[in-house]
Amino acid sequence: MSKTRPLIVLLLLAAGLAACGQKAATAENTAATGAVVAVETGNTAEITEVKANTVTAIQAAATATPEAVPAKAQVATVAGLPLKHGYYVDSDTPCGQASNATTTLLRREGIGGARDFCEFKKIEQTGPNTYRVTEACGDLQGSAPSETSTSIYTLKGDTAFTAKSEHGWDRSARYCVQSSMPPDWRANDISDVTG
């Protein structure tokens, strides 16, 4: 029984690494499963072989390449959201029927509507099309200081997004070419904030 105790510890360690998302070759995982049978049957030669394979599995997991690390663990700070700058209208509103309540203007430094503006302070890419954005938002018509919060932006190409705030609100919008907007928006020169 005392000979099987170190093997069980190694198997538990290998199982723990596997549970944490570390990858090891299938042969080593199969060998580790075989060790339980070997311990129960008392086959000493099989236990020794499996012990060596378990050590190999543990070493392989410890030297896993960065590609093996889950994507959600890799975060990169980026300069801006990879979206076209310009008008975005709520997804369920036709571009030609946009209003102040359904339209935002995505600028180089942030996004805002007729009454508010959120300046992007930090943008982190957390997935292939997901970004965590720290933004300072304020009311354009009031004198209260801006409030800093975090939103998660999920992009659909470079012309649509869904944003979910840490405060619980969410918004889905898509890009509308300025010429497709109502007359009040068509006449605005937005080149200084979108170019």
Side-chain angles (χ1 to χ4, degrees):
M1 182 70 170
S2 63
K3 290 182 180 180
T4 60
R5 190 171 298 221
L7 178 58
I8 292 171
V9 170
L10 285 173
L11 290 174
L12 289 173
L13 181 57
L17 287 171
C20 291
Q22 297 294 333
K23 294 184 178 179
T26 305
E28 284 83 2
N29 289 337
T30 304
T33 304
V36 175
V37 174
V39 170
E40 290 174 358
T41 61
N43 186 337
T44 309
E46 191 173 342
I47 290 172
T48 305
E49 180 182 334
V50 171
K51 186 188 284 185
N53 286 339
T54 304
V55 170
T56 304
I58 292 169
Q59 291 169 340
T63 59
T65 60
E67 293 80 28
V69 176
K72 66 181 179 182
Q74 298 175 1
V75 176
T77 301
V78 295
L81 291 173
L83 290 167
K84 288 186 176 184
H85 295 146
Y87 289 117
Y88 281 77
V89 176
D90 288 356
S91 296
D92 58 353
T93 303
C95 295
Q97 296 176 13
S99 67
N100 283 339
T102 62
T103 303
T104 56
L105 177 61
L106 178 64
R107 308 169 189 210
R108 290 184 304 274
E109 69 279 356
I111 191 166
R115 299 183 54 146
D116 60 352
F117 180 72
C118 294
E119 180 182 2
F120 298 150
K121 295 296 190 178
K122 184 177 184 180
I123 302 173
E124 299 169 296
Q125 184 170 5
T126 58
N129 61 344
T130 308
Y131 297 81
R132 180 175 43 238
V133 179
T134 304
E135 47 196 1
C137 299
D139 188 339
L140 295 174
Q141 299 173 351
S143 59
S146 298
E147 293 183 20
T148 301
S149 64
T150 303
S151 296
I152 302 298
Y153 282 75
T154 304
L155 279 50
K156 297 171 190 136
D158 65 349
T159 59
F161 68 86
T162 298
K164 294 185 180 188
S165 165
E166 66 183 322
H167 300 297
W169 60 262
D170 61 36
R171 174 178 208 169
S172 291
R174 49 75 175 87
Y175 178 78
C176 287
V177 178
Q178 190 171 7
S179 61
S180 69
M181 298 287 288
D184 289 343
W185 285 272
R186 277 186 254 151
N188 290 338
D189 181 7
I190 59 172
S191 61
D192 61 330
V193 294
T194 60

